[in-house]
Amino acid sequence: VTNTRLRTLKGHTNVVRAVVVGKDGMVYTASDDGTVRIWSEEDGSHVHILAGHTDDVLSLAVGSDGT
């Protein structure tokens, strides 16, 4: 699917720099708000926030097992 909005994930307070769709059914997003957020791919619900970065989070990588 291209150029079709499937879902809007609301929670970041600044620019989102990276998105990874994991094989574990989760979506991972990294943002200039200094957080990485984890979302359910199934329904778009917010699952967890990884906070504590002291600057923008520009990229991320997720292993095939979700780690």
Side-chain angles (χ1 to χ4, degrees):
V1 176
T2 59
N3 297 320
T4 301
R5 181 178 297 178
L6 300 176
R7 181 169 282 121
T8 300
L9 304 174
K10 295 184 179 183
H12 285 293
T13 59
N14 209 327
V15 176
V16 172
R17 298 292 182 170
V19 177
V20 172
V21 179
K23 292 182 179 180
D24 59 352
M26 297 293 142
V27 176
Y28 302 82
T29 56
S31 171
D32 282 1
D33 66 8
T35 67
V36 172
R37 292 180 183 254
I38 304 172
W39 315 83
S40 166
E41 182 180 9
E42 182 178 336
D43 64 8
S45 62
H46 184 251
V47 175
H48 193 70
I49 184 171
L50 302 172
H53 296 89
T54 58
D55 207 346
D56 306 342
V57 183
L58 303 177
S59 63
L60 57 95
V62 178
S64 61
D65 63 352
T67 59

